[in-house]
Amino acid sequence: MDKNTALELLQKKSFAQLKVAFGEMMPADAAELITHLIEDDNDFGERELTFLFRILPKDLAAEVFTFLDSDLQRVLINAFSDKELRSVLDELFLDDTVDIIEEMPANVVSRILKAADPEKRRQINELLNYPEDSAGSIMTTEFVFFRKDSTVEDALDRIRSIGIVKETVYTCYVTEARKLIGTISLLELLVAEPEEILENIMTSNIVFARVHDDQEEVSKLFRKHDLASLPVVDDEDRLVGIITFDDVMDVMQDESAEDMAKLGAVLPNEDSYFDTSVLKHVKSRIVWLLVLMISATLTGMITNHFEAQISAIPLLVAFMPMLMGTGGNSGSQASTMIIQGMAMDEIRLKDFFKVIFKEFRVAFVCALILSAVNFVRIMLFYHDLRIAAVVSLTLIGTVVMAKLLGCILPMLAKRLKIDPAVMSAPLLSTLVDSCSMLLYFTIAMHLLDF
Amino acid sequence: MDKNTALELLQKKSFAQLKVAFGEMMPADAAELITHLIEDDNDFGERELTFLFRILPKDLAAEVFTFLDSDLQRVLINAFSDKELRSVLDELFLDDTVDIIEEMPANVVSRILKAADPEKRRQINELLNYPEDSAGSIMTTEFVFFRKDSTVEDALDRIRSIGIVKETVYTCYVTEARKLIGTISLLELLVAEPEEILENIMTSNIVFARVHDDQEEVSKLFRKHDLASLPVVDDEDRLVGIITFDDVMDVMQDESAEDMAKLGAVLPNEDSYFDTSVLKHVKSRIVWLLVLMISATLTGMITNHFEAQISAIPLLVAFMPMLMGTGGNSGSQASTMIIQGMAMDEIRLKDFFKVIFKEFRVAFVCALILSAVNFVRIMLFYHDLRIAAVVSLTLIGTVVMAKLLGCILPMLAKRLKIDPAVMSAPLLSTLVDSCSMLLYFTIAMHLLDF
């Protein structure tokens, strides 16, 4: 069903037909349709949203709810009766409930907690207490575990009785005194003899995370071992939750957005572009702009020092943008490669000299090519051998220096346990710009007989 | 087991112990250990690698093999007897086999194809024929499907008999004349009555991809619907394969690396940093460096036009790096936000004017703050009201223009179906630099009475 069909059915009050049409949609598509209706159509407001949501088949409603923006979720929660709220919450997985709560204002949170039963409320509070971006904060406490002396038949019976409620029963966990000692997949249970004891058929090589591990480490474990779910244990090795692949995909998405933001000199921000206010956008951008503006001043001070030379040969100024630009790009190419290599564990700190040697060779070849093209260009346009020599020599020095700094700074940052992407950007551009201008005017002074 | 323990056991020829120790490791960890041994230790060569691999427990060996770098895989395949090669291939999933083949030289490929049985060879050839980055190229043809009139009991029996061979049997597919008509999860089979007919309990709302869909669209579907696997159909709607979440995580990783590379003005490259030769590194970097160097020349030509003004007041040159730097950063902040917003479907093309209005307000506030700080700084250091006014006015114009170009260019690129990240970077920096210099010297000419 598309937007126009939905609007038409609403206007014709063909609610039964609307309900059927929604029933045939995937929950995420239904949520997207509802979001577009409210965004694109001024007649479609909060009242219509609540009305439409109440039309949805009950089992679909809760799923659609999890796919809505937090703004729309808030509107709906405010419109719900206590009974409606409870019935939606009952259908939600615990980690989705916690995700929703984290986005809600205090009064909505207390309504949600009041509507949950005491056991669920205890679990929600526990999950809310883990630090942001930790394994604990993205796990769910709903998982299936068995004692090591259970039989395969007991286990299958228990899974049948629990049914579809638990988020991942395809990997089941075997515990002893609440400590995780093994895993077994549903498929393994299915092909095993019914009277077999779990301890004899479980896998005891377990990949697991601890509640305080960083979510980025968790995502690395998933990718390294191709996991569908990962058990999480507390400081006493007790199994307290599991993380599923879908939450890790969200983490990967967020981390990649964060990296892109850092490279674009924007402070990361969790809200979407339009949900962020103008002032919040300014706040996430102005810091870097100020830092970079102030640091560019250093380069200005260096050129200022060579005022006499500039007055004498103002043509020198014409090559400044090219030199600084090429230096900046050469440096950021190197730092991008190194930051990415380190993030993927392809480059380790002990490879320091190997990296420098490699970058030096890459830089040298790039520098020779750029410098040759540039020499020819200046000779063609300005017929000035000395200027061409000055600019081309500076270019070689600038590119080599920029590429070396571009690999040294991120590795240094990592060694000092600072985020390489954040530290290297401003320092790199400042250093490359000022060094290249210093080099340029120094070479000019010597070759142009001032 | 760590590297030193493994080396020690090898030297002491305690092979039985070594085999046990490997048996307790996760395949990815064992592969990592072997890779580090061969990378860090000069005594550990191809002979040792093959020897170690032969020690591995047989079921672990094939899995470890998939986690090794393609260089090491090639060495091993060359060392294998035909029988060994066949036994490793038999344990591999089809999509992993295809991934390996894609990295191998022709002679190795033909050995692998010869070792595979005819049916597997046919499937491998089929998968190899799909275009790179298409859904077909990342799918596997190993999946479980049933006819719609099968009973639950039949289905479970079939799953038990197929066992652990198929990659994902947690979602089973129901077909009619090879066309996909429904899905059913293993859990649903387990809780259903044994004599129930699949058609009555299957889900007929299906999310699927077509063989020629782009892998980025596939990854969006996984994230949108929180999928563990996705069926792939051909042009006649026949089910031909499935894609599993672990392959999608690899796609996400690759796409994010590709985006980072584009932002860093490097042509994407699939090999790891050290596996790429110096000349290949040069090739993936020199194109952008040349383009950006040539385009920076435009800015140089503009400043060259104002030679007289520069000779008269060389202090003007001191603010050029700051103006160009701040303009460049303001623009790339905006373009990063917009490119990311479009990639996440938060910003659509019809939001064009909404985006421009928002960026204009953000730009204006940023510009005022930067310009005020800058005005005070120049007054403090140079006590020159007119220069301070010229620079601060230019800064306001530059920041506003840069942010507007930074949002217009990526949206324009998308409209023209060009990759926004690739098109906007060089055009943006060239336009911003030259416009800001033009603005600077024009304002200077008017306010400084040349």
Side-chain angles (χ1 to χ4, degrees):
Chain A
M1 181 167 56
D2 68 359
K3 216 180 65 182
N4 296 331
T5 322
L7 271 180
E8 207 177 296
L9 289 176
L10 260 180
Q11 272 153 7
K12 286 197 305 188
K13 300 197 196 265
S14 313
F15 303 135
Q17 230 176 310
L18 203 57
K19 187 171 186 160
V20 172
F22 266 116
E24 282 164 3
M25 295 179 81
M26 297 299 296
D29 290 326
E32 195 176 73
L33 170 63
I34 293 176
T35 310
H36 285 177
L37 278 174
I38 205 159
E39 268 179 6
D40 299 343
D41 207 299
N42 292 328
D43 291 341
F44 195 91
E46 301 193 355
R47 237 168 53 95
E48 284 74 13
L49 170 67
T50 317
F51 181 78
L52 201 60
F53 193 80
R54 284 182 176 140
I55 285 183
L56 294 181
K58 212 186 135 205
D59 52 333
L60 182 69
E63 277 204 82
V64 170
F65 188 81
T66 61
F67 286 110
L68 290 172
D69 266 2
S70 55
D71 284 351
L72 299 185
Q73 288 174 337
R74 194 172 35 74
V75 169
L76 283 172
I77 293 178
N78 283 331
F80 284 162
S81 69
D82 284 350
K83 203 176 141 228
E84 277 177 311
L85 180 58
R86 200 166 315 123
S87 88
V88 168
L89 288 179
D90 280 350
E91 296 284 325
L92 292 182
F93 290 124
L94 204 57
D95 53 344
D96 289 333
T97 313
V98 171
D99 286 348
I100 291 168
I101 286 181
E102 279 171 340
E103 301 289 320
M104 293 293 143
N107 61 326
V108 178
V109 172
S110 72
R111 257 202 83 197
I112 295 177
L113 287 178
K114 232 189 248 164
D117 61 61
E119 170 57 15
K120 203 162 189 176
R121 195 180 313 141
R122 196 192 55 72
Q123 290 177 318
I124 292 174
N125 277 318
E126 201 180 301
L127 288 179
L128 284 172
N129 273 331
Y130 289 110
E132 206 185 341
D133 297 345
S134 67
S137 75
I138 54 170
M139 72 184 186
T140 177
T141 50
E142 294 163 312
F143 53 88
V144 177
F145 64 98
F146 304 110
R147 287 174 32 182
K148 60 173 183 170
D149 50 3
S150 305
T151 64
V152 167
E153 196 170 7
D154 294 345
L156 283 173
D157 282 347
R158 197 121 143 261
I159 291 174
R160 279 198 195 92
S161 73
I162 298 172
I164 323 276
V165 180
K166 301 284 160 155
E167 193 164 14
T168 300
V169 292
Y170 296 121
T171 304
C172 308
Y173 301 95
V174 184
T175 57
E176 180 177 19
R178 296 192 58 197
K179 289 198 170 61
L180 177 65
I181 58 166
T183 64
I184 187 161
S185 75
L186 182 52
L187 199 55
E188 286 164 334
L189 285 177
L190 215 56
V191 299
E193 294 299 323
E195 59 279 4
E196 188 69 82
I197 302 294
L198 295 188
E199 194 180 10
N200 301 332
I201 53 169
M202 70 186 189
T203 310
S204 37
N205 292 349
I206 313 167
V207 185
F208 63 91
R210 300 195 169 276
V211 279
H212 289 99
D213 286 352
D214 190 90
Q215 61 177 12
E216 209 167 339
E217 293 306 313
V218 169
S219 129
K220 276 190 190 167
L221 282 179
F222 267 84
R223 274 174 286 141
K224 180 171 175 185
H225 300 287
D226 286 347
L227 303 174
S229 63
L230 178 74
V232 183
V233 302
D234 66 8
D235 294 335
E236 276 103 52
D237 288 338
R238 287 177 307 208
L239 178 64
V240 290
I242 62 165
I243 296 172
T244 51
F245 71 92
D246 51 322
D247 299 310
V248 172
M249 285 190 178
D250 293 342
V251 169
M252 288 176 71
Q253 185 68 38
D254 290 349
E255 300 279 345
S256 135
E258 212 181 292
D259 288 346
M260 293 259 292
K262 279 180 208 154
L263 280 184
V266 182
L267 301 181
N269 173 357
E270 298 217 331
D271 291 325
S272 76
Y273 181 78
F274 287 118
D275 286 344
T276 308
S277 69
V278 169
L279 281 184
K280 238 176 146 182
H281 272 299
V282 171
K283 246 172 86 181
S284 70
R285 301 186 195 183
I286 194 74
V287 181
W288 274 128
L289 287 180
L290 279 170
V291 171
L292 292 164
M293 181 178 88
I294 302 290
S295 66
T297 309
L298 180 65
T299 317
M301 280 158 65
I302 290 174
T303 63
N304 201 25
H305 184 73
F306 295 98
E307 225 172 280
Q309 284 75 17
I310 290 172
S311 285
I313 312 185
L315 179 58
L316 283 177
V317 175
F319 304 104
M320 281 173 51
M322 186 276 290
L323 286 170
M324 291 194 293
T326 308
N329 289 318
S330 301
S332 67
Q333 284 184 335
S335 70
T336 305
M337 301 291 290
I338 304 302
I339 290 172
Q340 212 170 78
M342 290 196 301
M344 317 253 291
D345 287 329
E346 283 170 12
I347 297 177
R348 292 172 288 167
L349 280 183
K350 48 184 267 197
D351 298 324
F352 187 74
F353 292 105
K354 232 168 115 188
V355 170
I356 295 213
F357 181 52
K358 185 138 201 165
E359 278 303 312
F360 178 77
R361 286 175 295 164
V362 174
F364 196 69
V365 179
C366 285
L368 284 184
I369 298 174
L370 291 169
S371 164
V373 172
N374 195 54
F375 188 87
V376 172
R377 186 179 64 83
I378 297 180
M379 287 307 286
L380 282 178
F381 283 96
Y382 301 97
H383 315 287
D384 187 328
L385 179 65
R386 290 196 311 166
I387 293 273
V390 169
V391 175
S392 297
L393 275 179
T394 309
L395 197 53
I396 294 183
T398 299
V399 171
V400 171
M401 174 204 62
K403 289 232 180 264
L404 290 184
L405 284 174
C407 65
I408 292 172
L409 286 179
M411 298 189 83
L412 193 68
K414 182 151 190 199
R415 181 76 188 72
L416 300 173
K417 300 199 187 305
I418 309 170
D419 185 337
V422 167
M423 172 181 141
S424 45
L427 245 180
L428 184 63
S429 65
T430 309
L431 280 176
V432 169
D433 280 357
S434 26
C435 290
S436 88
M437 286 304 104
L438 199 57
L439 191 66
Y440 183 40
F441 287 108
T442 310
I443 293 180
M445 269 176 68
H446 284 90
L447 287 192
L448 305 180
D449 323 312
F450 281 107
Chain B
M1 177 165 61
D2 67 0
K3 215 180 65 182
N4 295 329
T5 320
L7 272 180
E8 209 177 294
L9 289 176
L10 261 179
Q11 274 154 3
K12 286 198 306 187
K13 304 196 193 253
S14 315
F15 303 134
Q17 232 175 310
L18 204 56
K19 187 170 186 160
V20 171
F22 266 115
E24 283 164 3
M25 293 179 83
M26 298 299 296
D29 289 327
E32 193 176 75
L33 171 64
I34 292 174
T35 310
H36 284 176
L37 277 174
I38 207 159
E39 269 179 5
D40 300 343
D41 208 298
N42 292 328
D43 292 341
F44 195 92
E46 301 193 354
R47 237 168 53 93
E48 284 74 13
L49 170 67
T50 318
F51 181 79
L52 202 59
F53 193 79
R54 286 181 174 143
I55 286 185
L56 294 181
K58 210 185 137 206
D59 52 334
L60 183 67
E63 278 203 79
V64 169
F65 188 80
T66 61
F67 286 110
L68 289 173
D69 264 2
S70 55
D71 284 352
L72 299 186
Q73 288 175 336
R74 193 173 35 73
V75 169
L76 283 172
I77 293 178
N78 283 333
F80 284 161
S81 69
D82 284 349
K83 201 175 142 231
E84 276 176 312
L85 180 58
R86 199 165 317 123
S87 88
V88 168
L89 288 179
D90 281 348
E91 295 285 325
L92 291 182
F93 289 124
L94 204 58
D95 54 344
D96 289 333
T97 312
V98 171
D99 286 348
I100 291 168
I101 285 180
E102 280 172 339
E103 301 289 320
M104 292 294 142
N107 61 328
V108 178
V109 172
S110 71
R111 257 203 84 198
I112 294 178
L113 287 177
K114 230 188 253 166
D117 60 62
E119 168 59 13
K120 202 161 189 174
R121 196 179 315 140
R122 195 193 55 74
Q123 290 178 319
I124 291 175
N125 276 320
E126 200 181 302
L127 288 180
L128 283 173
N129 273 332
Y130 290 109
E132 207 184 343
D133 297 346
S134 68
S137 76
I138 54 170
M139 75 185 186
T140 176
T141 50
E142 295 163 311
F143 53 88
V144 177
F145 65 98
F146 305 111
R147 286 173 34 182
K148 61 173 183 167
D149 49 3
S150 304
T151 64
V152 168
E153 199 170 5
D154 294 343
L156 282 174
D157 281 347
R158 190 121 148 262
I159 291 175
R160 279 199 196 90
S161 75
I162 298 171
I164 322 277
V165 180
K166 302 281 160 157
E167 194 165 15
T168 299
V169 290
Y170 296 122
T171 303
C172 307
Y173 301 95
V174 185
T175 57
E176 182 177 15
R178 294 192 62 196
K179 289 200 169 61
L180 178 65
I181 58 166
T183 63
I184 187 162
S185 75
L186 181 53
L187 199 55
E188 285 163 335
L189 285 176
L190 214 56
V191 298
E193 294 299 323
E195 60 278 6
E196 187 70 83
I197 302 294
L198 294 189
E199 193 179 12
N200 301 332
I201 52 167
M202 70 185 191
T203 310
S204 38
N205 292 349
I206 313 167
V207 185
F208 63 90
R210 299 193 169 277
V211 279
H212 289 100
D213 286 352
D214 190 88
Q215 59 177 10
E216 208 167 340
E217 293 307 312
V218 168
S219 131
K220 274 189 192 169
L221 282 179
F222 267 84
R223 275 174 286 139
K224 180 170 175 187
H225 299 286
D226 286 347
L227 304 174
S229 63
L230 178 75
V232 183
V233 302
D234 66 10
D235 294 335
E236 276 102 53
D237 287 337
R238 288 177 305 209
L239 179 64
V240 289
I242 61 165
I243 297 172
T244 50
F245 70 92
D246 50 321
D247 299 311
V248 172
M249 284 190 179
D250 292 342
V251 169
M252 288 176 70
Q253 185 68 38
D254 290 349
E255 299 279 345
S256 135
E258 212 181 292
D259 288 345
M260 294 258 294
K262 280 179 207 155
L263 280 185
V266 182
L267 301 181
N269 172 355
E270 298 216 333
D271 290 326
S272 76
Y273 182 78
F274 287 117
D275 285 344
T276 309
S277 70
V278 169
L279 282 184
K280 238 176 147 183
H281 272 298
V282 170
K283 245 172 86 181
S284 70
R285 301 187 197 181
I286 195 73
V287 181
W288 274 129
L289 287 180
L290 279 171
V291 171
L292 292 166
M293 183 180 87
I294 303 290
S295 67
T297 309
L298 182 65
T299 317
M301 280 158 66
I302 289 174
T303 63
N304 201 25
H305 184 74
F306 295 98
E307 222 173 280
Q309 285 75 14
I310 291 172
S311 289
I313 313 185
L315 180 58
L316 284 177
V317 175
F319 304 104
M320 281 172 48
M322 187 276 292
L323 286 170
M324 291 193 294
T326 308
N329 290 317
S330 300
S332 66
Q333 283 184 335
S335 69
T336 305
M337 301 292 288
I338 303 303
I339 291 172
Q340 211 170 78
M342 291 194 304
M344 316 254 290
D345 287 330
E346 284 169 11
I347 296 176
R348 291 173 287 168
L349 280 183
K350 48 185 265 195
D351 298 324
F352 188 72
F353 292 104
K354 233 169 115 187
V355 169
I356 295 214
F357 181 52
K358 186 138 200 165
E359 279 302 313
F360 178 77
R361 287 174 296 163
V362 174
F364 197 69
V365 180
C366 284
L368 284 185
I369 298 174
L370 291 168
S371 160
V373 171
N374 194 55
F375 188 86
V376 171
R377 188 179 64 83
I378 298 181
M379 287 305 286
L380 283 177
F381 282 96
Y382 302 96
H383 315 288
D384 188 327
L385 180 64
R386 290 196 311 168
I387 294 273
V390 169
V391 176
S392 297
L393 275 178
T394 310
L395 196 54
I396 293 182
T398 300
V399 170
V400 170
M401 175 206 60
K403 288 230 179 267
L404 290 183
L405 284 174
C407 65
I408 291 171
L409 285 179
M411 297 188 83
L412 193 69
K414 184 155 189 194
R415 182 74 187 74
L416 300 173
K417 302 200 189 300
I418 309 171
D419 185 336
V422 167
M423 171 183 144
S424 46
L427 246 181
L428 184 63
S429 65
T430 309
L431 281 176
V432 169
D433 279 359
S434 30
C435 291
S436 89
M437 286 303 105
L438 199 58
L439 191 65
Y440 183 41
F441 287 108
T442 311
I443 293 181
M445 270 176 68
H446 284 90
L447 287 192
L448 304 180
D449 322 311
F450 281 108

